[in-house]
Amino acid sequence: MMCFPDFPYPDDYPNYMHQSKLQEYIKTFTLKKNLLRYVQFETLVSSIKKCLSFLVTGQWEIVSEKDGKQESAIFDAVMICSRHHVYPNLPTDSFPGLDQFQGHYLHSRDYKGPGGFQGKRVLVIGLGNSGCDIAVELSRLAAQVYDLKGLGKQT
C-alpha cells in the first residue's frame, strides 16, 4: 500500500519491511526518477511569502539560507511537512498501575534497535507500521512478543 503506483516494490521485498528496506526503496526510486537534483539538504527556509501576483499565478517567494548565503526563488506550490509524528504520544494515564510496573516502557520513537530485549517478554501496543516493524524485529531475539490482545508470539 505504501509503494509509488508507477514504481512497485521489488518481488523479493518482504510484506513487512524493516525501515532499512523502505529507505533503500526510497533511495532507488529517487535515483531512477532523477529527483535528487530537486533536493537541497541542510538548507534553512527563512521566509515564505505569497508573490505580489499570487491571486493570478498562485506562486510563492521562498527565501532560503545555506552556508551563510541567502537565496530567493519562486515556486508554484509550497508543502509544509511539520512532522506531527516527531512528538510521541504516550498516554500513560490510560494504563492504570503503570506507575507500579517493574519493567521498562517506551514509545516507538525512542526505539533504536533490538539491543536490550534479548530473552525478554515484550508487549507491543499499536500495530501500525512502526509497531509491526518493531514486533517483527524483536520476535527474532525476544522470548515472546505479544500484541495488545495477547495473541501470541509475532513471527
Side-chain angles (χ1 to χ4, degrees), residues 40 42-48 61-73 75:
Q40 293 182 39
E42 299 178 14
T43 302
L44 172 72
V45 174
S46 56
S47 172
I48 301 173
E61 179 184 6
I62 310 300
V63 178
S64 60
E65 296 177 34
K66 183 171 183 166
D67 299 327
K69 297 178 186 173
Q70 272 198 346
E71 184 179 300
S72 179
F75 290 88

Side-chain angles (χ1 to χ4, degrees), residues 43-111:
T43 302
L44 172 72
V45 174
S46 56
S47 172
I48 301 173
K49 292 188 247 179
K50 293 177 181 178
C51 288
L52 293 175
S53 60
F54 180 81
L55 292 176
V56 176
T57 65
Q59 293 181 320
W60 300 81
E61 179 184 6
I62 310 300
V63 178
S64 60
E65 296 177 34
K66 183 171 183 166
D67 299 327
K69 297 178 186 173
Q70 272 198 346
E71 184 179 300
S72 179
I74 304 296
F75 290 88
D76 295 326
V78 173
M79 182 181 297
I80 299 179
C81 304
S82 59
R83 304 183 315 165
H84 74 277
H85 292 294
V86 79
Y87 302 109
N89 178 21
L90 192 61
T92 55
D93 56 339
S94 296
F95 300 95
L98 187 60
D99 55 335
Q100 283 121 38
F101 178 59
Q102 298 294 312
H104 179 70
Y105 63 89
L106 67 137
H107 190 277
S108 61
R109 180 176 187 265
D110 298 317
Y111 177 82

